């Protein structure tokens, strides 16, 4: 049995109005159980307060945050520091830590649990992120929005609402929001079905583009803005969905054919990048200097006697493995070089997707799963890091959990990553943020903070495609809807 010692607390200077620390309590050598789990995380200097709630059998809770000579006390089952108090704590703890003590009360007895730290990094984070909010269902997508959130104060607003162009008989699905160099004034997103097309915003100008063309498999999918030029690399795919009957992953999203293409925003032209017959190319991403394009590709040969390609891919779903490749790019001639293998995931009997390169060009973060291309549905999916300077590749065990890790983005200074994870319950993807040091090592991830720590559990929505932004999108949802309801410009195919 654990030994308990009754002691009196020493009350530090308190900057928050509260009942104070209990006068008598027992000491425990156990950690407090809280949600979200913010024990010993590293946070940016400009992050909003990390609120949390008791996730253990207590009837009341008191929390003391201490940094230097500043102390803030919060009473109640939810610890919600005031914005100004939190700012004072961060200033005192900069480069060090905020000490956190949790006291729980049950049956009239108070217990002080093992204290923990919140480390405050001097590295700032981009002030905004954006994401899709969508139900965790494969059939319900009409109540769908692209939202933006200020990381410094919880402010959230809608960039575009799927329902603005939906009706009782005609629905719409929006996806793949993307920005050029974190610039919210230079963005794009897709709309499928009703009023379908690609919306591109560039320095105040809005246009709708119809990328469907007889020379393309489909309209552009999975965009990657060139870092300097008004060019966007896309994959062009036939994407399908099916279901496993006896696999824990249940849902499978796959392509039966996919290529890569390049879209010129000014000229409204598309050209081929890669379209090998026995390869399925997807997920392009540029290096920071814009001179190399990374992507994923799976080798798959269809027998000449096969007419039903979809059934053939379904039958061999577990055998489809994507590797990482790259192609050089000349910005002047706009010509691509031959493909080069970067990481042979299939040699490990694995599949690699979603390459994302750090702003300094050194690290390539990607997801690795057992098979396939849509790892958000795969419980085995993890984050891996390739050091492009040394060639070393490893699992990011310090970021990964026992469940899905998937879509991820780098902050503009390369010191933070945000990624989608289902570690909380296996069903809902939620954003987690982690610090990455100069050698590519990550800190313990922390869940996106909110003014109410129970917000994510209560909302019952998935956060999809988290992207960093240097500021908010200022175009209104109605402006986007008005453009979508108009005719799209048809692209011109250029053979090179």
């Amino acid at each position: 049995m654990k030994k308990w010692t009754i002691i009196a607390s020493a009350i530090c200077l308190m900057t928050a109005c509260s009942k104070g620390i209990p006068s008598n309590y027992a000491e425990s050598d156990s950690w407090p159980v809280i949600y979200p789990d913010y024990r010993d995380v590293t946070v940016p200097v400009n992050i909003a307060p990390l609120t949390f709630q008791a996730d253990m059998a207590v009837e009341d809770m008191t929390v003391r945050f201490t940094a230097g000579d500043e102390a803030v006390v919060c009473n109640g089952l939810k610890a919600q520091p005031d914005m100004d108090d939190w700012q004072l704590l961060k200033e005192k703890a900069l480069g060090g830590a905020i000490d956190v003590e949790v006291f729980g009360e049950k049956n009239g007895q108070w217990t002080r649990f093992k204290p923990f730290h919140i480390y405050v990094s001097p590295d700032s984070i981009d002030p905004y992120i954006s994401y899709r909010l969508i139900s965790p269902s494969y059939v319900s997508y009409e109540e769908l929005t692209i939202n933006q959130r200020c990381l410094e104060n919880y402010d959230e607003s809608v960039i575009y609402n799927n329902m603005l162009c939906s009706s009782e008989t005609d629905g719409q699905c929006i996806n793949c929001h993307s920005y050029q160099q974190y610039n919210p004034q230079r963005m794009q997103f897709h709309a499928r079905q009703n009023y379908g097309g690609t919306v591109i915003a560039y320095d105040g100008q809005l246009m709708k583009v119809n990328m469907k063309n007889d020379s393309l498999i489909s309209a552009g999918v999975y965009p990657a803005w060139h870092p300097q030029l008004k060019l966007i690399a896309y994959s062009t795919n036939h994407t399908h969905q099916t279901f496993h009957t006896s696999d824990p992953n249940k849902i499978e999203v796959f392509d039966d054919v996919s290529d890569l293409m390049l879209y010129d925003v000014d000229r409204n032209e598309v050209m081929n990048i890669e379209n090998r017959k026995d390869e399925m190319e997807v997920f392009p991403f540029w290096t920071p200097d814009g001179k190399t394009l990374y992507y994923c590709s799976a080798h798959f040969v269809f027998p000449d006697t096969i007419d039903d390609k979809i059934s053939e891919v379904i039958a061999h779903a577990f055998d489809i493995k994507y590797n990482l490749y790259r192609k050089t790019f000349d910005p002047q001639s706009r010509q691509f070089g031959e493909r080069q293998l970067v990481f042979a995931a299939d040699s490990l009997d694995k599949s690699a997707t979603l390459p994302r390169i750090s702003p300094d060009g050194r690290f390539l973060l990607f997801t690795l799963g057992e098979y396939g291309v849509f790892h958000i549905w795969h419980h085995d999916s993890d984050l891996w890091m390739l050091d492009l300077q040394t060639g070393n590749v490893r699992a990011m065990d310090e970021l990964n959990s026992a469940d899905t890790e998937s879509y991820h983005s780098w902050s503009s200074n390369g010191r933070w990553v945000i990624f989608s994870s289902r570690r909380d319950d296996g069903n809902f993807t939620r954003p987690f943020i982690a610090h990455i040091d100069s050698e590519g090592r990550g800190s313990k991830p922390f869940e996106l903070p909110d003014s109410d720590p129970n917000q994510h559990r209560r909302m019952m929505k998935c956060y999809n495609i988290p992207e960093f932004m240097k500021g908010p999108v200022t175009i209104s949802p109605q402006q986007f809807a008005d453009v979508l309801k108009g005719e799209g410009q048809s692209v011109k195919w250029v053979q090179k």
Side-chain angles (χ1 to χ4, degrees):
M1 293 182 63
K2 295 179 180 178
K3 294 183 180 180
W4 304 92
T5 304
I6 305 297
I7 65 175
S9 68
I11 301 177
C12 298
L13 171 67
M14 290 180 291
T15 60
C17 294
S18 65
K19 296 182 294 186
I21 302 300
S23 58
N24 293 286
Y25 52 83
E27 287 278 8
S28 171
D29 59 3
S30 298
W31 298 107
V33 182
I34 59 173
Y35 175 80
D37 177 13
Y38 291 142
R39 290 188 295 111
D40 296 335
V41 297
T42 298
V43 301
V45 63
N46 57 328
I47 197 72
L50 267 58
T51 67
F52 60 85
Q53 64 187 39
D55 214 23
M56 52 190 173
V58 295
E59 297 165 3
D60 198 1
M61 182 175 73
T62 293
V63 178
R64 176 164 56 191
F65 301 86
T66 307
D69 59 358
E70 290 289 341
V72 174
V73 175
C74 297
N75 295 110
L77 293 176
K78 295 181 179 181
Q80 298 165 295
D82 176 83
M83 197 75 69
D84 292 336
D85 292 337
W86 180 254
Q87 183 61 33
L88 286 172
L89 289 169
K90 288 189 299 179
E91 290 173 0
K92 294 285 185 178
L94 187 62
I98 299 170
D99 299 320
V100 186
E101 301 166 272
V102 175
F103 301 80
E105 183 268 329
K106 184 177 182 181
N107 298 326
Q109 173 64 57
W110 283 92
T111 299
R112 178 181 180 267
F113 294 92
K114 189 175 179 180
F116 62 90
H117 307 287
I118 296 174
Y119 299 97
V120 181
S121 170
D123 294 324
S124 63
I125 199 167
D126 297 295
Y128 277 81
I129 58 170
S130 60
Y131 40 78
R132 278 201 312 172
L133 285 180
I134 186 170
S135 298
S137 169
Y138 43 84
V139 294
S140 175
Y141 57 82
E142 286 194 332
E143 290 188 66
L144 165 63
T145 60
I146 301 175
N147 284 27
Q148 57 189 356
R149 164 79 75 86
C150 180
L151 294 177
E152 299 176 339
N153 61 15
Y154 314 125
D155 286 351
E156 184 174 26
S157 61
V158 173
I159 295 175
Y160 180 68
N161 188 331
N162 201 62
M163 299 298 288
L164 290 175
C165 287
S166 292
S167 66
E168 292 182 2
T169 56
D170 296 303
Q172 187 181 76
C173 179
I174 51 171
N175 52 51
C176 293
H177 53 281
S178 177
Y179 308 90
Q180 186 183 47
Q181 290 293 83
Y182 310 91
N183 187 342
Q185 306 307 315
R186 298 178 179 182
M187 69 169 296
Q188 72 100 75
F189 66 87
H190 300 308
R192 293 181 296 175
Q193 298 176 287
N194 194 36
Y195 297 118
T198 298
V199 174
I200 296 177
Y202 205 92
D203 293 347
Q205 300 297 313
L206 267 177
M207 66 176 182
K208 177 183 177 181
V209 179
N210 176 15
M211 289 193 184
K212 292 183 179 179
N213 185 284
D214 291 341
S215 299
L216 300 172
I217 297 171
S218 69
V221 185
Y222 307 131
W225 283 87
H226 189 277
Q228 292 90 31
L229 305 176
K230 291 177 73 172
L231 302 173
I232 309 175
Y234 293 98
S235 62
T236 172
N237 317 44
H238 281 166
T239 300
H240 309 276
Q241 180 176 271
T242 189
F243 303 87
H244 298 293
T245 57
S246 59
D247 189 278
N249 289 328
K250 300 301 180 188
I251 304 167
E252 192 61 36
V253 178
F254 64 94
D255 298 327
D256 68 339
V257 61
S258 58
D259 296 332
L260 298 180
M261 69 179 190
L262 185 69
Y263 174 65
D264 187 314
V265 177
D266 281 337
R267 299 175 184 173
N268 197 35
E269 295 176 348
V270 292
M271 58 171 280
N272 174 67
I273 297 176
E274 189 83 335
N275 62 348
R276 296 174 183 242
K277 179 181 178 182
D278 296 330
E279 293 284 329
M280 293 188 285
E281 302 93 353
V282 71
F283 294 133
F285 196 82
W286 299 94
T287 54
D289 63 7
K291 295 181 179 180
T292 306
L293 185 72
Y294 282 75
Y295 62 97
C296 305
S297 186
H299 185 69
F300 193 85
V301 179
F302 289 97
D304 293 336
T305 56
I306 292 295
D307 293 324
D308 186 354
K309 288 187 174 182
I310 297 175
S311 295
E312 183 72 6
V313 173
I314 292 173
H316 296 278
F318 298 109
D319 301 321
I320 298 177
K321 316 285 184 177
Y322 284 77
N323 294 325
L324 298 180
Y325 293 89
R326 66 186 171 204
K327 295 169 73 74
T328 59
F329 177 71
D330 183 349
Q332 297 299 320
S333 65
R334 300 193 178 183
Q335 295 294 314
F336 289 90
E338 292 298 315
R339 78 170 186 172
Q340 302 170 340
L341 179 64
V342 176
F343 176 66
D346 60 356
S347 67
L348 303 177
D349 199 26
K350 301 287 186 181
S351 184
T353 63
L354 291 168
R356 295 292 182 268
I357 299 170
S358 60
D360 63 2
R362 178 174 174 181
F363 298 107
L364 190 159
L365 191 63
F366 62 97
T367 63
L368 194 71
E370 296 295 327
Y371 63 93
V373 70
F374 216 70
H375 286 160
I376 191 67
W377 286 113
H378 292 185
H379 296 290
D380 55 81
S381 174
D382 282 330
L383 294 172
W384 280 58
M385 185 84 87
L386 170 61
D387 187 333
L388 296 173
Q389 179 176 298
T390 66
N392 293 331
V393 61
R394 69 178 183 92
M396 293 291 284
D397 292 332
E398 64 270 41
L399 305 189
N400 293 324
S401 70
D403 216 294
T404 306
E405 268 68 59
S406 184
Y407 193 95
H408 48 277
S409 302
W410 290 89
S411 65
S412 62
N413 63 6
R415 293 280 71 91
W416 304 92
V417 293
I418 188 169
F419 60 94
S420 298
S421 179
R422 290 189 172 172
R423 66 186 62 199
D424 282 343
D425 52 30
N427 294 310
F428 292 88
T429 52
R430 298 184 176 112
F432 283 76
I433 300 170
H435 185 263
I436 306 294
D437 69 15
S438 60
E439 296 303 314
R441 296 182 294 262
S443 66
K444 177 182 175 179
F446 65 93
E447 193 165 345
L448 176 69
D450 203 286
S451 58
D452 183 347
N454 204 38
Q455 171 65 12
H456 296 159
R457 288 175 170 176
R458 186 179 62 223
M459 184 173 58
M460 307 292 283
K461 291 275 189 178
C462 287
Y463 291 76
N464 183 257
I465 314 182
E467 291 278 358
F468 283 110
M469 305 148 65
K470 291 183 177 179
V473 173
T474 56
I475 299 170
S476 71
Q478 191 58 56
Q479 286 176 285
F480 282 126
D482 290 344
V483 170
L484 272 171
K485 290 176 180 178
E487 291 295 321
Q489 301 178 39
S490 296
V491 298
K492 293 172 285 186
W493 169 259
V494 177
Q495 183 70 46
K496 289 191 179 181

